[in-house]
Amino acid sequence: GESVGLHLPTLSVQEGDNSIINCAYSNSASDYFIWYKQESGKGPQFIIDIRSNMDKRQGQRVTVLLNKTVKHLSLQIAATQPGDSAVYFCAESGGTSYGKLTFGQGTILTVHP
Amino acid sequence: DAMVIQNPRYQVTQFGKPVTLSCSQTLNHNVMYWYQQKSSQAPKLLFHYYDKDFNNEADTPDNFQSRRPNTSFCFLDIRSPGLGDAAMYLCATSRSNGWLETQYFGPGTRLLVL
């Protein structure tokens, strides 16, 4: 079936380093992608999104890259801070599931001071 | 600030005792969603309302019901909670259910079943 998955379940980095979190998706009809950050005991927080007609989008300290050829999505966090420690989920929608998000399994990012 | 609010943040219930979780939103969004999230897992969609139209996911147990009395409020009713229903329950909203619609999540209600 359709799925969105992550290559790395955990990622540990030093404060100030750049972080890259990866996500693979299998639904070739997916045309909208979102990255969420979820801190312990809280709901997912929107970080950044990207449409399928783009291959890169930048926000404040974050960049999302989309490679439709290999169905791969990544989130880059520049100058990672301890406050970035959280679980990061990618989510996609599109095809027959407009308006419904399919979530990846999540990556735990730990930032060491 | 416009937001999605969930009450209570923590709920303890007994096995088999009905429980209701509530969600409200000030975003005036048309769509409201309920997700179940178990530890170390991604959120799993239970159902959603587009305005007054209820849309149930095929694998959502009958034990889970929902009500949306108006645009702002949506409730999750668990008729007979089992131990396996202990989880974080997340409410989310979106402006519509069309293309490029971002979902905004509330803080969640953590349910404990004794």
Side-chain angles (χ1 to χ4, degrees), chain B residues 39-57:
Chain B
S39 181
S40 301
Q41 296 184 19
K44 178 182 182 297
L45 182 64
L46 296 172
F47 27 58
H48 74 276
Y49 271 96
Y50 183 87
D51 196 11
K52 296 180 180 180
D53 293 331
F54 179 70
N55 298 272
N56 199 33
E57 292 302 295

Side-chain angles (χ1 to χ4, degrees), chain A residues 31-32 34 36 38 41-44 46 49 51-52 89 98-101 103-105, chain B residues 9 33 35 37 41-43 45 57 88 90 97-103 105-107:
Chain A
D31 52 17
Y32 181 51
I34 307 173
Y36 287 95
Q38 187 174 24
K42 298 183 179 180
F46 172 88
D49 60 358
R51 306 177 184 185
S52 59
F89 291 98
Y98 280 132
K100 292 175 60 173
L101 292 179
F103 281 85
Q105 65 182 123
Chain B
R9 294 295 311 279
Y33 307 80
Y35 288 84
Q37 186 178 28
Q41 296 184 19
L45 182 64
E57 292 302 295
M88 173 78 89
L90 296 164
N97 63 353
W99 192 48
L100 304 182
E101 289 296 342
T102 303
Q103 292 184 23
F105 285 81

Side-chain angles (χ1 to χ4, degrees), chain A residues 1-70:
Chain A
E2 300 168 355
S3 66
V4 181
L6 295 174
H7 294 304
L8 300 175
T10 62
L11 178 64
S12 293
V13 300
Q14 290 296 125
E15 182 177 2
D17 287 351
N18 297 332
S19 302
I20 300 176
I21 301 172
N22 296 301
C23 178
Y25 63 95
S26 59
N27 182 6
S28 57
S30 297
D31 52 17
Y32 181 51
F33 303 87
I34 307 173
W35 280 101
Y36 287 95
K37 171 187 179 183
Q38 187 174 24
E39 297 175 90
S40 180
K42 298 183 179 180
Q45 176 187 359
F46 172 88
I47 302 174
I48 192 168
D49 60 358
I50 189 167
R51 306 177 184 185
S52 59
N53 62 350
M54 306 169 68
D55 53 19
K56 181 179 180 179
R57 191 164 188 222
Q58 289 184 294
Q60 187 176 15
R61 284 201 305 118
V62 295
T63 300
V64 55
L65 299 178
L66 175 62
N67 186 330
K68 294 181 289 294
T69 302
V70 296

Side-chain angles (χ1 to χ4, degrees), chain B residues 69-86:
Chain B
N70 53 54
T71 300
S72 300
F73 286 87
C74 194
F75 300 99
L76 170 62
D77 300 309
I78 308 176
R79 294 191 297 186
S80 182
L83 298 179
D85 296 327

